[in-house]
Amino acid sequence: MLNFWNQHYLFLVVGLGVSLLSMAAAMIGSSLVFQKQSQLGDAIGHAAYPGIIAAFMVTQSRNPFTLLLGAVASGILALILIHFFSKEPAFHFESILALVLSALFGLGMVLMSYIQGNDNYQGASQAGLKTYIMGQAAFLKQDDVILIALVSSITILIFFMALPRIKLSLFDPVFAASIGIDSRKLSLLNLSLAVVVISVGLKAVGAILIAALLITPTIIGMQWSRNYQGVLWVAVGSAVVGSLFGTWLSTVVDKLATGPSVVLTLFFLALLSFIIGPQGLIAARGYQHD
């Protein structure tokens, strides 16, 4: 009976945290996908890791808010570096992303190896810092979930407030410019929201897998709708379903990691959508046959 209630509590806490995170990531990710900036999510996710370690080194505390600030600062640094290097025509954008991603993630690993066994950090617990690489949602605490809920709610609110302008900027940039909408500022806002969502989600999903929460739900939505609003709602719905089912799997199956379970669930939803969705393979073949 005690084990049942422990599992029930774990599912509620972790499921709520991951679902809210996935909803925010799906919304922000939809704009990144349509702007053809999907790879930025992966780069920012890896680049945020050294900020977490640096924040711990400065404060010697694993307070979730402190580590979030470090991750956000590191993510913003990554965006600045990407913007700086992208001005040079000699560099391809994909090469710049790979350079920044690998350099900052490597810095995080170097900092992590430095503090391990270092006498200056013996008084502070380093337990859990490595989980930010692959994620460990099963060990989310109440404070983590509260922070995820707060950040995700604010992100969703800001996104919805800007949604009419975002849609115009994405699909009719000429008209958007004619009525005074600054597409560059909207893009900067969206990237800033992506940095915050990625940073707060690292403990749950990890630096390596966080990009999947940004990209996969929109890919699913695009197989079911040609309307951006429809894509957005399907993306959010699939993100919640994937989060809850992945969390449930990790709760009932011993030693099954939550983050990878959620990502794999989203992958299978995407695969199913590719096959049976209105924009999927079966529909396309039927259209060609007609």
Side-chain angles (χ1 to χ4, degrees), residues 37-51 74-83 85 92-110 133 198 202 206-212 214-215:
Q37 294 181 330
S38 303
Q39 293 174 309
L40 271 175
D42 194 30
I44 296 170
H46 284 74
Y49 183 62
S74 187
I76 291 174
L77 174 61
L79 289 179
I80 293 173
L81 290 174
I82 292 169
H83 178 71
F85 285 117
H92 294 290
F93 187 67
E94 292 79 7
S95 302
I96 296 169
L97 290 179
L99 174 66
V100 173
L101 180 156
S102 56
L104 289 180
F105 188 69
L107 174 62
M109 298 300 293
V110 168
I133 299 176
I198 288 169
L202 288 182
I208 296 177
L209 298 176
I210 188 66
L214 290 164
I215 300 168

Side-chain angles (χ1 to χ4, degrees), residues 7-223:
Q7 288 185 341
H8 185 64
Y9 175 79
L10 178 65
F11 173 73
L12 287 178
V13 172
V14 177
L16 175 62
V18 178
S19 295
L20 288 171
L21 172 68
S22 298
M23 288 175 62
M27 292 179 185
I28 305 303
S30 67
S31 182
L32 291 178
V33 170
F34 282 107
Q35 286 179 319
K36 298 181 179 179
Q37 294 181 330
S38 303
Q39 293 174 309
L40 271 175
D42 194 30
I44 296 170
H46 284 74
Y49 183 62
I52 291 172
I53 308 302
F56 171 81
M57 293 175 68
V58 172
T59 64
Q60 297 198 23
S61 168
R62 291 189 292 112
N63 179 275
F65 184 72
T66 302
L67 299 183
L68 171 64
L69 291 179
V72 169
S74 187
I76 291 174
L77 174 61
L79 289 179
I80 293 173
L81 290 174
I82 292 169
H83 178 71
F84 175 77
F85 285 117
S86 62
K87 292 181 178 180
E88 298 295 328
F91 296 122
H92 294 290
F93 187 67
E94 292 79 7
S95 302
I96 296 169
L97 290 179
L99 174 66
V100 173
L101 180 156
S102 56
L104 289 180
F105 188 69
L107 174 62
M109 298 300 293
V110 168
L111 292 177
M112 185 65 202
S113 62
Y114 173 75
I115 65 175
Q116 289 179 329
N118 192 310
D119 293 338
N120 295 326
Y121 301 98
Q122 291 301 312
S125 174
Q126 303 167 23
L129 290 179
K130 282 189 175 181
T131 62
Y132 286 86
I133 299 176
M134 292 297 296
Q136 204 165 15
F139 287 91
L140 286 176
K141 297 179 180 178
Q142 187 175 358
D143 290 345
D144 297 315
V145 175
I146 290 173
L147 183 61
I148 289 174
L150 180 62
V151 172
S152 299
S153 299
I154 294 173
T155 301
I156 291 170
L157 178 62
I158 294 174
F159 181 82
F160 268 114
M161 290 174 62
L163 184 57
R165 288 175 292 164
I166 289 174
K167 288 195 294 185
L168 281 176
S169 179
L170 285 175
F171 303 108
D172 198 346
V174 176
F175 178 69
S178 69
I179 60 175
I181 294 177
D182 192 333
S183 297
R184 292 183 62 184
K185 288 184 178 179
L186 279 178
S187 179
L188 180 61
L189 172 65
N190 200 62
L191 288 174
S192 301
L193 293 177
V195 169
V196 174
V197 169
I198 288 169
S199 299
V200 79
L202 288 182
K203 186 173 183 179
V205 185
I208 296 177
L209 298 176
I210 188 66
L213 294 187
L214 290 164
I215 300 168
T216 312
T218 300
I219 293 175
I220 295 171
M222 291 170 67
Q223 308 309 310

